[in-house]
Amino acid sequence: MRKLVYYVAVTIDGYIAGPGGEFDFYPQGDEKQAAAYAEWTNARYPETVPTSMRAAHGLSDTPNQRFDTVLMGLGTYRLGLQPGFTSPYAHLRQYVVSSTLAPDTDPAVTVVGEDPLALVRDLKQEEGQDIWLCGGGLLAGALLPEIDELIIKSYPVVAGTGISVFDGEFNPTLFKMADRTWFANDVTITWFARR
């Protein structure tokens, strides 16, 4: 069965973005460190690079390694809308969970107005690669019962406030650490599997 995987960057204090959706404050290290980190993540998860940036990263013809579907909330999707990218991950099946987004925003994007849990349960029954939950925190909180794995990119920065990695009801849910990798720019990636 396909898994729902929350692959996301997180600050030390548990935020995925600033209060206005900012994410440009994440430290990358020096040029050499940033390049090494990007090379590693792009080789392992090339499909998580937005379509508009794939050529610049040498990923134009790179096949998907882990995911064939992306699921995001309106806040995450809106980041691409502002510069005019209505299909941010054209190399994936794209779903946006929103009760306010027009369903005809882009023919390559499926807008889901309600019950994201039912959507995920249906997607898991299909054949294919895993499903990438790309953000945001409110959607992650709603989908917590169906999240099978977390891939947390922890950055050495405190945001102070912003969009929480999970925003929902109090619901302690156990995961176990499966692996961890550290990079010279002080970013760690930790894989957690649901217990």
Side-chain angles (χ1 to χ4, degrees):
M1 183 182 286
R2 303 169 77 190
K3 293 179 181 177
L4 179 62
V5 181
Y6 193 16
Y7 174 70
V8 66
V10 181
T11 66
I12 292 171
D13 52 345
Y15 295 105
I16 59 175
E22 308 90 345
F23 59 89
D24 57 352
F25 62 90
Y26 281 106
Q28 302 299 314
D30 64 29
E31 188 175 325
K32 184 177 177 183
Q33 292 169 339
Y37 174 69
E39 182 179 337
W40 191 94
T41 56
N42 291 349
R44 191 143 185 176
Y45 305 109
E47 61 273 31
T48 64
V49 176
T51 302
S52 63
M53 299 172 63
R54 288 174 66 86
H57 288 275
L59 300 171
S60 295
D61 299 321
T62 303
N64 298 340
Q65 299 295 313
R66 175 79 192 264
F67 308 110
D68 64 9
T69 304
V70 62
L71 182 61
M72 65 193 102
L74 179 59
T76 302
Y77 181 65
R78 192 176 284 133
L79 295 173
L81 283 179
Q82 293 166 349
F85 301 114
T86 58
S87 180
Y89 298 98
H91 51 283
L92 299 171
R93 286 175 56 197
Q94 303 169 92
Y95 292 88
V96 177
V97 176
S98 171
S99 60
T100 59
L101 184 67
D104 61 350
T105 300
D106 189 289
V109 174
T110 302
V111 178
V112 178
E114 56 187 46
D115 202 0
L117 282 170
L119 168 66
V120 168
R121 289 174 182 140
D122 288 344
L123 289 172
K124 283 184 171 184
Q125 298 303 313
E126 297 175 357
E127 291 292 322
Q129 293 178 302
D130 288 334
I131 306 153
W132 171 34
L133 174 56
C134 133
L138 194 59
L139 181 58
L143 292 176
L144 183 56
E146 289 296 326
I147 295 175
D148 302 293
E149 185 178 341
L150 304 169
I151 304 174
I152 304 295
K153 300 179 288 182
S154 299
Y155 284 79
V157 62
V158 172
T161 189
I163 300 169
S164 179
V165 67
F166 285 96
D167 187 0
E169 297 179 12
F170 181 72
N171 182 18
T173 304
L174 295 177
F175 287 81
K176 62 181 177 181
M177 188 177 77
D179 198 6
R180 177 173 283 157
T181 298
W182 173 81
F183 297 88
N185 61 355
D186 292 326
V187 176
T188 59
I189 299 181
T190 309
W191 290 260
F192 294 95
R194 182 180 286 276
R195 284 187 183 251

